[in-house]
Amino acid sequence: MPATYEPIATTTVSGSSTTSVTFSSISSAYTDIIVIFNGGGTNPSNIQMQLNSDTGTNYSTTSMYGTGTTATSARYTNLNLMYSAGVAAALPTTLSAMGIMSIMNYSNTTTNKTILSRYSNASAETTTNVSLWRNTAAIHTIRLFSYSQAFLDGSTFTLYGIKAA
Amino acid sequence: MIGNVIAGMFAEGVSGDFESIATVSVGVSGSATIDFSSIPSTYQHLQIRAIGKATGAGHEDLLVRVGNGSLDTGSNYTRHALFGQGTSAASQADINQSYARVADNWAPPSSGSIYGVIVIEILDYANTNKFKTFRSLNGRDSNGSGAVGLFGNLWRSTSAIDTIRLYPAANSFAQYSHFALYGIKG
């Protein structure tokens, strides 16, 4: 049986000046795609995402997170980015945060695109987000960044594709 | 410095430990239920990945029934839920339900292009010594409303699951709703 869950691309941050990671020319051959992040940041915020180089205010996020003392929820509307991993605290300064971002039915051209994500930074927060990109275009490019701050040397981003029957 | 990876550059297949079993795409006339039947027992776990929208005017809960040979409509389902609706996090529980509620207010109304999304995992589904637990990560964002949730459901039966039905609490699934069932090998 052919592989259903395939690695498409991966990048490992080298040095201290990588401020974004972009996956481009993504094949439309899958049903869902998943980005898995493991790493940290030098002085960043959480991880944000933009799709297909869209910098318009077409993104929104609903988040639920716990910080060790309380569990709460927040909503962000009409953003020019989505909060794809974490909302409450900055990335750790060690390679200890992880995020799994599922981009569902990314290649159809009839629905707005919704992303489910889970994120853990054991020293600060655990979070699950749902984010919307108000666009029906097929997704071919994913940009991940942390405002203009740098990811830690050794942080990894891996893009997977999941095929359906 | 910008890290930029051309997708496919490092593509390689992995072994078939995560396999597609069946997929349903809802057509123009909609569908009241999504059924997966005759599910083989050759996997360790099942995963359902879906997007959905309802044909009605409101948001619909997403419900599930399972069974062996036929769907269990008895009061044998229990749920605990943790969810955030944009301002606060809350928890709910249901007992002795005739269905598993795997997401609240999940399927948006028929107008618009926004779909709810969900990943459901049914653990040890073919084991005949355990009650069956399934968990879901679900969400819907509509730029000003929506929710994200972590739900756990229990089916109080030791029967192996070979049949799954998903359905909205009312109305039908709308066109372009999409449900994919996967098997995960142990």
Side-chain angles (χ1 to χ4, degrees), chain A residues 85-110:
Chain A
V87 292
L91 285 166
T93 54
T94 58
L95 297 171
S96 58
M98 60 82 64
I100 302 174
M101 297 152 253
S102 289
I103 305 172
M104 310 293 284
N105 278 71
Y106 71 102
S107 64
N108 78 60
T109 57
T110 53

Side-chain angles (χ1 to χ4, degrees), chain B residues 63-170:
Chain B
L63 310 179
V64 172
R65 284 176 171 150
V66 297
N68 185 285
S70 61
L71 295 166
D72 182 4
T73 60
S75 301
N76 297 315
Y77 301 87
T78 301
R79 178 188 74 127
H80 274 77
L82 174 66
F83 53 88
Q85 294 176 309
T87 55
S88 61
S91 181
Q92 283 183 343
D94 302 310
I95 60 171
N96 299 326
Q97 300 294 298
S98 62
Y99 50 77
R101 187 148 47 115
V102 295
D104 286 347
N105 296 315
W106 176 75
S110 56
S111 60
S113 300
I114 297 171
Y115 285 64
V117 297
I118 191 167
V119 178
I120 305 168
E121 285 160 342
I122 304 177
L123 306 177
D124 268 340
Y125 72 104
N127 189 298
T128 56
N129 298 305
K130 300 176 180 176
F131 288 176
K132 307 302 182 294
T133 298
F134 31 114
R135 64 178 185 178
S136 65
L137 171 62
N138 61 79
R140 170 189 59 81
D141 185 276
S142 301
N143 191 39
S145 66
V148 60
L150 291 165
F151 287 24
N153 278 272
L154 175 70
W155 180 45
R156 297 194 307 278
S157 172
T158 57
S159 296
I161 293 172
D162 69 358
T163 301
I164 301 171
R165 169 169 288 179
L166 302 101
Y167 58 106

Side-chain angles (χ1 to χ4, degrees), chain A residues 1 3-5 7-8 11 17 19-22 24 32 60 62 64 73-75 77-78 102 112 128 134 163-165, chain B residues 1-8 12 14 18-20 23 49 83-88 113 115 137 141 143 145-146 182:
Chain A
M1 179 172 288
T4 300
Y5 199 140
I8 299 172
T11 189
S17 58
T19 56
S20 70
V21 170
T22 300
S24 59
D32 302 328
S60 52
T62 300
M64 177 176 64
S73 180
R75 174 166 294 123
T77 60
N78 297 315
S102 289
N112 289 178
T128 181
R134 297 193 306 281
K163 292 178 179 176
Chain B
M1 176 181 174
I2 305 295
N4 194 332
V5 177
I6 303 299
E12 57 181 342
V14 295
F18 187 96
E19 294 180 350
S20 176
T23 301
R49 307 177 64 86
F83 53 88
Q85 294 176 309
T87 55
S88 61
S113 300
Y115 285 64
L137 171 62
D141 185 276
N143 191 39
S145 66
Y182 298 91

